[in-house]
Amino acid sequence: MKLIALDMDGTLLGSDRAISKRNMEAIRKAERQGIYVILATGRMYRSAKEYSYLSTSDMPVIAYNGGLIREFNDGRILFQQNMPKELVAPTFDLAKGYGLGANFYIDDNLYGNEGNPYIAGYAEYIGVPYEIIPDRELHRTISEGDIMKMVAMGPAERIDHFLKDHISEMGRQLYLAKSWPGFLEIAHKETNKGLALKSLGEILGIRPEEMMAIGDNLHDHEMLEYVGYPVIMANGHEYLLDKHYYRTKTNDEDGVAHAISQFI
């Protein structure tokens, strides 16, 4: 094994949003054996960077669910995949029709639409500031900017209704995945953690069978399918728990440390 990719929320981080001592010790043990340990998260780069102390190497982070691969040490971008500009505004209009709010990620900054009741809590959770785009400026801003991804947010039943009605046509043009029951990640069709790991592996000369990935939710699916050592958290999504992945403990039971100890 040469590389371990770790999802953050629901995987590496406990419910207290911290990395436990046991998880840190397991990561250090892997690094001492020459194994790269990287973050592969749906979070923004600036949010993930707060955890850059995780690794003692100069490894990059996979952020935005695979839309960005960027160095921690100097900020150099190795890979970036934005949403097609012509699809952002129509997608937002569709989501708004279901009573969903929307977050937009432009130049590693967080923006939301007017009347978005979810963005404040989300921004507090990931530890970044945010800005509301006035309605009169929204379509121009999101049509002209480089949007890394959009997250439609709202009650889980509205998200499910939206997906049921539109996933067939939208899925041909965009990547859609629920990261939490009320969060729908929307990005470029070729954006996912699996493809990002493939790109990073090509840069580093590491094959998929030499990689481990640990995750908990649907946006980790492609990553888990890609690697030779896929690990699902015990608190993971039921769809992934039904797969033939190695099952570790929950994120509040040092599941990452337990998984690493089973393989190295």
Side-chain angles (χ1 to χ4, degrees):
M1 188 185 305
K2 295 183 178 180
L3 183 146
I4 301 172
L6 303 175
D7 173 56
M8 291 180 63
D9 298 288
T11 300
L12 176 63
L13 305 182
S15 298
D16 59 359
R17 309 179 208 173
I19 302 174
S20 72
K21 181 180 178 181
R22 281 196 63 211
N23 282 348
M24 281 298 305
E25 289 173 348
I27 290 166
R28 293 289 181 262
K29 178 182 177 182
E31 289 186 320
R32 286 195 298 271
Q33 296 188 26
I35 299 170
Y36 295 120
V37 181
I38 68 164
L39 296 176
T41 179
R43 289 192 182 209
M44 306 165 66
Y45 172 78
R46 68 189 296 176
S47 176
K49 193 174 182 181
E50 295 300 314
Y51 297 86
S52 60
Y53 63 85
L54 169 75
S55 176
T56 58
S57 66
D58 292 330
M59 289 300 294
V61 60
I62 294 173
Y64 294 101
N65 280 329
L68 181 71
I69 304 176
R70 189 172 181 181
E71 300 277 9
F72 268 147
N73 56 349
D74 61 7
R76 185 166 60 100
I77 294 174
L78 304 180
F79 174 83
Q80 182 169 334
Q81 187 86 274
N82 298 320
M83 282 185 71
K85 291 182 186 293
E86 70 276 9
L87 297 180
V88 180
T91 301
F92 165 71
D93 290 339
L94 273 178
K96 187 176 180 182
Y98 287 75
L100 301 174
N103 292 350
F104 305 96
Y105 302 78
I106 307 172
D107 297 327
D108 209 34
N109 293 304
L110 175 62
Y111 298 88
N113 63 299
E114 260 189 71
N116 183 337
Y118 311 104
I119 190 170
Y122 171 79
E124 188 277 329
Y125 181 85
I126 65 170
V128 300
Y130 69 93
E131 184 177 333
I132 296 297
I133 307 173
D135 284 345
R136 65 182 181 277
E137 301 174 10
L138 183 67
H139 276 77
R140 176 183 59 80
T141 301
I142 64 177
S143 296
E144 295 177 358
D146 291 328
I147 309 290
M148 286 296 308
K149 71 173 182 178
M150 168 183 161
V151 177
M153 308 172 74
E157 60 271 16
R158 293 186 190 176
I159 296 285
D160 291 340
H161 189 190
F162 175 79
L163 281 172
K164 180 180 178 182
D165 290 348
H166 298 290
I167 193 168
S168 292
E169 72 270 20
M170 289 182 65
R172 291 192 290 268
Q173 298 177 295
L174 294 165
Y175 171 78
L176 300 99
K178 291 171 67 175
S179 52
W180 295 97
F183 285 37
L184 178 63
E185 310 264 349
I186 305 172
H188 190 283
K189 183 174 176 58
E190 296 180 357
T191 292
N192 65 65
K193 294 181 184 181
L195 289 173
L197 273 182
K198 181 176 185 293
S199 297
L200 186 57
E202 289 170 353
I203 293 171
L204 298 173
I206 299 176
R207 302 187 304 274
E209 58 267 28
E210 299 173 313
M211 298 180 183
M212 172 193 282
I214 310 178
D216 72 303
N217 223 318
L218 294 175
H219 63 312
D220 299 315
H221 183 208
E222 292 87 356
M223 172 173 76
L224 295 172
E225 287 290 302
Y226 180 71
V227 302
Y229 300 89
V231 180
I232 180 66
M233 304 295 291
N235 55 286
H237 192 283
E238 59 184 13
Y239 176 77
L240 299 179
L241 288 169
D242 286 339
K243 297 283 187 179
H244 295 295
Y245 302 147
Y246 175 80
R247 185 183 299 194
T248 187
K249 298 180 180 180
T250 72
N251 62 319
D252 287 325
E253 298 173 314
D254 304 318
V256 165
H258 179 73
I260 291 174
S261 72
Q262 299 303 301
F263 290 95
I264 68 169

